[in-house]
Amino acid sequence: MNVSVVIDVLAAACLLSGALLSLAAGLGLLRFPDLLSRMHAATKPQVLGLLLILTGTALRLGTLVDITTLVLVGAFQLATAPVAAHMVGRAAYRTGQYRRELLITDELAAPRQGDDRAG
């Protein structure tokens, strides 16, 4: 078994698993009931799927310039996706575009009178 065959198999596994995670993110966007759940589906599996696809592409291409570019794409995605999701979530909460009955805890709600968290 050749080293290039092993690298090709690893690249194919990364590409396929990344594509499946991105597909799962797309299905979550269609199927989840509210904005906060859809936001989760749009960020978590999509970013991991993209990183796996970038890893598979880097394994397949193998040149330093291409790998550096792919690392930069992954770094920018990791830096911007959580911030964007946080801002969308805050805007949705402030405008009431969420379903309160689906929240387990509401840490942003104003504390009630006599609540221990009010101090």
Side-chain angles (χ1 to χ4, degrees), residues 32-50:
F32 283 164
D34 68 332
L35 184 118
L36 297 178
S37 300
R38 289 179 182 163
M39 180 187 62
H40 177 79
T43 55
K44 305 289 187 214
Q46 183 269 335
V47 171
L48 181 59
L50 176 69

Side-chain angles (χ1 to χ4, degrees), residues 48-100:
L48 181 59
L50 176 69
L51 290 177
L52 284 170
I53 289 173
L54 292 175
T55 302
T57 305
L59 286 172
R60 187 69 182 112
L61 294 176
T63 63
L64 184 63
V65 173
D66 294 332
I67 291 173
T68 305
T69 304
L70 294 172
V71 166
L72 285 174
V73 168
F76 285 127
Q77 184 69 27
L78 283 173
T80 58
V83 174
H86 178 76
M87 297 308 291
V88 168
R90 292 288 290 198
Y93 186 84
R94 288 182 179 177
T95 59
Q97 300 295 320
Y98 65 98
R99 292 172 53 186
R100 186 173 298 277

